[in-house]
Amino acid sequence: MAVYMRRSFSHVKCIRLCACLKVKNILTSDMYFSPDATVGRESESGIHPFPRQLKFPLRPGEPWHDRYSFVMFPQSSSKTPYDTIRQITPRPTSSMTQKPAQKPAMRPARQAADHEDFASGMDNTLQRVAGRNVDVSRATASMADISALTNIQKMPSKIRITADLPEINYADDDFQTAEAPYGTGQFDHYSIVADKNKKDVHIFAQPGEEVIVHRNSTSEAKMKANKSVTLPAKRSTSKTLQPDPIMKLQRVIGFGGVGKGQACWTTDGKSVVYPSHTLIVSINVDTKRQRFFAGHTEKVSAVCLNASSSLLASGQTGAQSLVRVWGYKEGNCLAIVKTHDHGLCMLEFSVCGRSLCGIGKDAKGQNMIVVWNLTEVERGMLTVTAKAHTDVDVIAAALDPVDSARLVTCGHDNVQLWRVRDGSLRCCSVSLRGGQKRAGISDVCYKTTKETAAGVTIYVSCLSGEVVRIDPDLAAVTSVQSLRSDPSLVESRRPSSCISITAMAASASLFATTSTDGFLRFWMPDFSRVLIEVEHEEPLLQVVFTQDGHRALVSTAVGSLAIVDVATDSYRTLLRAHTDEVLDMAVSEDLLGTVSADGTIRIWSLETSQQLYDFSISGEVPCNISFRSSSSEFACGFLSGRVTVFSVPQAKALTELKQLRGQITGLAYCAGHEGTLCYCDQFGTITLYRTSGTGYRLIRGLPNAVYRHLELAPNALVVSRNGSHIACVGPSEYVVTVMDTAALNEVLRIDVSSVKLPSGAPYPALDTAQQVAFLTSASSHELLVATSGSRLLRFDAWSGKLLAQLQPVHTGACTAVIASVDGRYVLTAGDNCIKVWDSSLRTNVIPQMFIGHSSRINSLCFTADGASLVSAGDSVFYWSFVRSREQKSLDSNDVYRKPELQSNAASLSVHHLIDDIPCRDISTSLNTRTAELITRQGNQRPVTPQNFRQAFEQKEEKEEGKQFSVPKAKKHFKKAMKQSSLAQRRYTALAGQAGLKLNSVIGFNGNSRNNVVWHPETGLFIYTSGCVAIVEDLKDGTQRHLMGHVEEISTMALQHDCQVLVSASGSSGAAACSQMCIWDMQSLACRTVLSQHRTDVQSLDFCLDDRFLLSVGNYQDPKIIIWSTYDWTVTMTTHASYPVHTALWNPFRSCEFMTVGEQGRMTFWLLEENHSNRTLAQLSMHEPDVPDELLYNKLGNVVHFTSACYISDKHLCLGTSSGRLALWDTTTNICIMHWIADESEIGVITGRSERLVTGSQNRLCLWDAAGLTQLSDSSQTLPKVAVSGDMELEGYVTTANFDSALVMGIVGTDTGTLWYINWSENVHIRLVSSHRDKVTALVRCPGNGFITSSKDGSIRVWTLASRELTMQFEVAGQSCNCISLSPVNLDSVLMRPSPSKTQKWFPLLVAGYDNGSLRIFDLNKVEMIKKLVPHVASVTVVMFSDDGQAIISGTCKGNIAISSPLTGIVIKHINGQRGAAITSIDCMAVSLLAFHHHRFFLGRFPGLPGLAFASLQ
C-alpha cells in the first residue's frame, strides 16, 4: 500500500497487492467515511457516514462489524505508513541509542477493553525486534507531502538514516504500545502494536487512526468481531463547506433513456417510475411529488417493478450494462450485477418475484437472455439462474403471468417461447404465416384466459394491423385478426383502414394499442370494436395498464407521459420534457424558460414545473434565452444568428432584431435597465438594443469584441446584478473585458494569462479564460473567471486587482460559473457535476460536489430569492439551496415534510384545498355602511386537520433568506434611523453603586407596533419608549422601568395570566441578533433573553393556554418561530413566503394561528403536538383563495392585509390597506362578506361578540356588528353593519387595548401619543405625549418645567412633576434645531413696565429652524410674536445676549448673525468661519481681548459683552 500511496492517479480501477491478491471496485473520495458515523453528527475531523451507494447489505438487526472489516490505511495524507523510509539528521555518535517508551498514564476505557480482547485472542507474546541502519542513495519522499513527488529536488547522497524499531516495554503479557526513538523529533507521534513471539510489527498506527485487529478463528472459539483501538488524533486544518449538504434535488424536468420499456406503474397505481437519463424518477400521479434513484453512470434503458412494488430493477446501456436492484420504499440499492456486455434493452420480474429476466447483447453482438435468482438480493447477492445466446433479433419480451419459468420474445419476423429448466433456457419457435413475417412484428403480451390449459394466451401485434393469437402449450397460432379503425370514432376525412400497431398491452377486460398514426385505442377483449380512441400529434412508444386495469400510461416520442382513465374517459398529461439537450435557460420571478436542440422553446412554471407554453420556428434551432425583468417578454437567439422577442401572455413573436452572421453565443437583458438587451455571435460581434416605444432601437454594434469560440456559448455574455456592466471573454481568449451597458464603453480589461501562482511563480502553461461571472455582495463587486488551466480567479470588478485564486476546480472544462445571490458561495459546473465553493476561494474549505447530470451542464441559474438553483443539461434539475448554518438546522427540522417523507428528494407546491369556489362580493355604501347580499353558488368543504396536513405536505417552501422589498403598508414596523451608536467601552456600575438612576421617562414610541399592554382587571399598564419598557401606575403616575434592550423595542406581548411579558428589539450595532427579553412581572426581572431572529420582530402573541409563544420576523427575514413557554426552547420554526404584518393565535382553539401580510396573502396554521416527544411536533398550513373584489382596489392594484381579529370561535375579521373589512368563516376558510370601512389603511382591529373597533389614519371607529357571529357561508341574508361611534385622533393608530365589553381602552398612534378612550361617554383623553422625531434641544424654564424642540418642527413645554404637556408650538414642514430662553424677564427685553410681583411671567423663547429662520415666542400669551430670517442655511445654534438685547445665531455653514429681538434687524454678520458648522455659542458679561484658536474663538464687539463661539474645522 505504501508503494501505491506515493503515486498519483487520475483513475483507479484496481490495485494488485501481491501475486495472488488483487483488489477491484475501488472508489476514491475527498471525504473520509466510517460505518460508525451518523448523519448530522460529523466529527471535527470530517468523518462522514457511508453514502447510499457504499452501504453494504446487512440482515435485520445485524451489527456492521460482525459482517465486515473496516481498515483505514493511512487515515489522512499527512500520516505515513510504518515502512516508509524517512530522512533524519544523524547524530554525531556512531551508534544509535534507543530510549524506552513510557507507559501511557491513562487510556480510554473502550481502548483498554479492546487491548484486553486483543491480548486474549493472541497466542503469541511480544518480543523486541532489533533495529538496523540502512544506507540509501536517494531519500524517499514523505507521505506527509505528496506534492513533493512532482517537484524533484537534489538530495545529498549516502545519508545514513535509521530504520530501527523502538524498544518496547511490556505493560502486560501480550500487548504493548511503544514510542519512537529519542522520545522527541519527527517520530514522537507514532505508536507500534507488536507481537513479541513472532518478532514482527502488526500495525504501525498514527494518532487518531483506528488499529483494526483481525482475529483468526480457532477450534475452541468462534470468530469474534473486529476490535479497534483509537489513538489520540491530530486536529485537521481543513473543514467542509457548511451547511452540508448545501443543496438538495427537488424536481427534475426530463424523461427518456434508451429502449422501449421506459415507464411502469406501482402496484397501487398511485405512482409512475420512469428514467430521466441516468436518474430514475418515481412520481406520484396525484401530488406530483418526485423521488429519485441515483447510481447509474449511463442512460437507463429499462425499469420494472415486482408485483408488490417492493423491488425496483433498472438497467443501463453502454459498455457497462449494469443492472441494479433497489428497495423501492427505502430507495437504497440492494445489488449490482453486470452480465450483459452492452445493449441491455429489457428487464422484467417474474410473477412470483423470485426471478428477474433481462435481455441484452453479449461480447459477440448476439442477443443474450439472462434470468437471475433474487432470493438473496437482500444480502446483495444476485446469481444467474440461466442464460441463453440467440442469433434471432429480439425487440420485445414478456414473462408468463402464471408460470414464472416461461417467457416469450419476439423479433421483426419471429416469436420464441422460452422456458427455464435445470438451470438452462430452452427455446421453441412459433411458426408464423408469411404475412406476419413480411409486415413485421412490433410487440407481444400475455393475457390470462380460461380457454387454454396454460391459463394464458399470447398476443402478438404486427405493423400490418394484425393481431396474432398463440397457444403457449401448443406453440402454434390459433387465430389472426386484422384490426381496423372504427368509422364512428374517426373523422370523415380519414377513412376506415388497417391500423399499423406499434405497441400493445392487455388488462383483464381490455386491450390497448398504439399505432403509427398517433392514436391510442382501447378495444374489447375480442377486438370487435374500439371503446376509446385518443389522438396524439406525435408517435407513441409504449402503453402500460395499472394492475387493476382502470388506468393506462402512454409515453410519446416527444418526451411526455399521459394517463388515460378508462373508467371516466378522462385524459391528462403527467409530464412533458425536451427530447434533446437543453442548451440554455432563464429564470424570471415565477417562470422558467428553456431552449433545446430539439428546436423548441418551452416556458415552465417555477412552482409546479408544469409546461405552460411551447414556441418553435420552423427550420430554426434556439440556443439562448433571457427574460425581461417584467417577465412578460423574453428574447431568444438561434443558431442562424436570428434574435426574436416573444410575448408570454400573447404567446406570439413580437419583433425580430438584427440578424448576425453566426450562432448567438450570448444573450442577456440588463436588470435595472428596463428594455436593454445585449447579444453576441460566434464571430465576436456584440450588439446593444434598447426599447423605444413599442419596438427596439439599436444603440451600438461592436465587432470583434468577444472571443470567437463556440465553447463560450451560451454564457459568452454576463450582466451584473444591477445591470450596469457586462463582461465577456474577448477580444482574445486571454483577456476579460468589462463594459458598461449604456453604450458598451470599455471599463476594465484583465489579462488572465499574466496571473501568477500564489507562490509568485508564473503559471507553467499559457492560461485562457473560459467562463465569466459577477459576484456581488453587500460590500464588494467582484468578477469570477474560470480558466482552461482549471483555475478559478477572483478579481475586483472596479480595479482589476486579483483577490484570490483556486486550483484545481474541475479536471475538464468548466462549462458554467455563477455566484449565489448573497455572494457567499460560488458554483461551478464541469465533469457533469456541480461544485459549491466558499466565495473566499480558501483552499482549506472543502467544496461540495453534486452529481446527477449524465452530460455537459450548459447553464446554472438562481431563482430571484436565491433559495433555489436550476441546472440545465440533459435534463433540468431544480435544487433547493441552503445558504447558512442556521438554515441547515432549520432544514433538519423542516416543518413542510413529515418524518417519514424526509427521504423524498422532491415535493410540489401547495394545491389549494378549496378551488374554483367564488367568494361572495358585498357591495357597500360609504354613507350607510351597510352590506347587501350577493348570491353565490358552489359548495364548500370544511377544512379539517387532515386537509391541513394534506395541503401542507405538498408544499416545501424555499423562502428562507428571501429578500423582499420594503412593505408599503404602514402596519409593518420600520426601524427608526439611528444617528448614534453605543460607546465601544462601557462601564456598568455594581448594584447600589450607580451614580445616576432613571426616575421617569416622557414619551411613547409611535414607530413601534402593538407596544402597549393594558390589563383591565389588574390595571397593569406598560408601554415602550425607545429601548425602555415603562410600567406605569395609572393611579399615581409612578413609573418602573424594564431596561435590558440596546435597540428600539418593536413589539410586546403579555401572557393571559399577567405573569410574563415578552419584549422584542432588532439586531444592529451591539446586538448581533434580535433580542426577546422574558420579564417576570412579579419581580420585574429578566428571566432570559432569546435570540433567533436575525432582524426585527414584527409580531408577538401568546396562545390561549399560554403554553406557546409565537414570534414573526420582519420583511427582511419573515421567520415564524413557536416557542415553548415551559423552558423557552424552539418548538417549531419555518419561513413565511411573504412579509407578515400581523400574526395571532386563535383565542378559541388552541394550537391554531393565522398570519396576514403583503400582496393580499393570508395563511391559516395548525400546530399538531406529539405529547410523547415534543421534537416531533408538526406544523400544517392552508392559504385560502381571496376574492378578487377584496384582493384588488379600484385602481386594480393588489392590496395588503394589515390587521386581523377573531371575533368568535368561527369568525375572523380582516382589515386591508384599502380600508376594507372582511369577515371569514374559519371552519371553511372562506370569505363570507366584505365592506368598505374607511378610506385609509386599517391598522388595528379588536372585537368581541357584536362590537368591533377599528383604527386607521386619524380615526377610531366603533361598529355595531350584531348578527355577524351567527353568519355562515350558507346564509342567504346578511346583517347590517353600521358605525355606532367615531373619534378623530392624531396620527395613524398602531396599537389598541380594550376591555372585554369594548367600552374603555387605550390607543396609541404613530405621533407618539397614548389616548384613553371611553365609548360610553364618547371622550378621549391624552395620557402620554411625545415628539415624533429626534429631540434636538432641551432647556430648563423657570419653575418646575422644561422646554424641548424636535426635528418634527414642534416645541413643547412640560411640567416636570406630572410629566404633562402644558403648551405646544409647531411649524409644519420645518425642523427646529435649537432653542434658547432670554436670561432676563420679558419686560426688560420688550422695554415695558413690570407687572405685579404676584403675577407669574415666563421669559422670551427663541428657536432656530433648518430654513435659516428664527422665531420668537411669548410663552405667556402662547403665541409667536416675531419671525426673523438672518440666514439662508440651517440654524444650528442660537443664544440670547447677557442683557437680552441681542440674539446670536450660527449656521451649518459657519455664518454667525447678531440680530435684534425688538426690531428683527440683523446687526452684524460674521463670516470668519465660513464652511465650518457652528456648534456652540456662549455670552459673558466680561469684555476680553480678542484672540483665536483653531476650534474656539473669543471676541469683543461694540455695544456687546464678551462673545465666545466654537466651530468645527
Side-chain angles (χ1 to χ4, degrees), residues 39 49-58 64 68 332-335:
V39 177
F50 276 157
R52 184 170 55 188
Q53 292 82 353
L54 293 180
K55 286 186 178 179
F56 297 89
L58 292 171
W64 195 93
Y68 302 99
N332 59 328
C333 183
L334 302 177

Side-chain angles (χ1 to χ4, degrees), residues 950-969:
Q950 178 183 359
F952 198 56
E953 285 178 351
Q954 296 174 356
K955 182 173 184 179
E956 185 171 354
E957 294 282 1
K958 296 168 285 299
E959 304 294 343
E960 183 169 356
K962 181 175 181 178
Q963 298 296 324
F964 295 99
S965 58
V966 179
K968 298 180 180 179

Side-chain angles (χ1 to χ4, degrees), residues 1310-1506:
D1310 64 349
T1311 59
T1313 307
L1314 286 177
W1315 300 87
Y1316 166 74
I1317 305 297
N1318 192 318
W1319 290 111
S1320 60
E1321 300 178 4
N1322 197 25
V1323 296
H1324 56 283
I1325 302 173
R1326 192 192 309 263
L1327 294 178
V1328 179
S1329 180
S1330 60
H1331 290 285
R1332 295 190 300 269
D1333 209 333
K1334 178 182 177 181
V1335 177
T1336 57
L1338 183 148
V1339 296
R1340 178 76 181 271
C1341 64
N1344 191 15
F1346 58 95
I1347 306 172
T1348 59
S1349 64
S1350 172
K1351 283 190 173 182
D1352 59 10
S1354 66
I1355 300 173
R1356 305 193 182 200
V1357 182
W1358 313 83
T1359 57
L1360 188 59
S1362 61
R1363 301 186 301 273
E1364 292 183 358
L1365 178 67
T1366 58
M1367 65 181 73
Q1368 175 180 340
F1369 303 92
E1370 186 169 356
V1371 178
Q1374 298 296 325
S1375 172
C1376 184
N1377 299 330
C1378 50
I1379 55 176
S1380 178
L1381 288 173
S1382 62
V1384 296
N1385 60 37
L1386 180 64
D1387 300 300
S1388 299
V1389 177
L1390 300 179
M1391 298 179 181
R1392 63 187 182 187
S1394 301
S1396 63
K1397 296 183 179 179
T1398 59
Q1399 187 176 0
K1400 183 179 179 181
W1401 289 89
F1402 290 96
L1404 209 62
L1405 175 69
V1406 61
Y1409 293 85
D1410 60 352
N1411 63 348
S1413 64
L1414 300 177
R1415 288 177 171 85
I1416 303 174
F1417 298 94
D1418 186 351
L1419 301 181
N1420 300 283
K1421 297 182 179 180
V1422 194
E1423 66 179 5
M1424 185 186 74
I1425 60 176
K1426 196 176 294 296
K1427 178 182 177 181
L1428 296 75
V1429 186
H1431 305 284
V1432 294
S1434 176
V1435 179
T1436 57
V1437 61
V1438 66
M1439 187 72 183
F1440 270 101
S1441 63
D1442 187 63
D1443 57 0
Q1445 300 301 317
I1447 299 175
I1448 303 96
S1449 57
T1451 67
C1452 62
K1453 294 186 178 180
N1455 299 321
I1456 299 175
I1458 302 174
S1459 307
S1460 172
L1462 297 178
T1463 62
I1465 300 174
V1466 178
I1467 301 174
K1468 188 176 182 61
H1469 278 287
I1470 304 173
N1471 299 323
Q1473 293 301 310
R1474 181 174 296 176
I1478 305 298
T1479 59
S1480 178
I1481 293 178
D1482 197 8
C1483 290
M1484 294 170 289
V1486 180
S1487 299
L1488 300 176
L1489 295 177
F1491 70 96
H1492 67 88
H1493 189 264
H1494 70 288
R1495 288 183 182 273
F1496 185 79
F1497 296 84
L1498 185 63
R1500 181 172 180 263
F1501 302 93
L1504 291 176

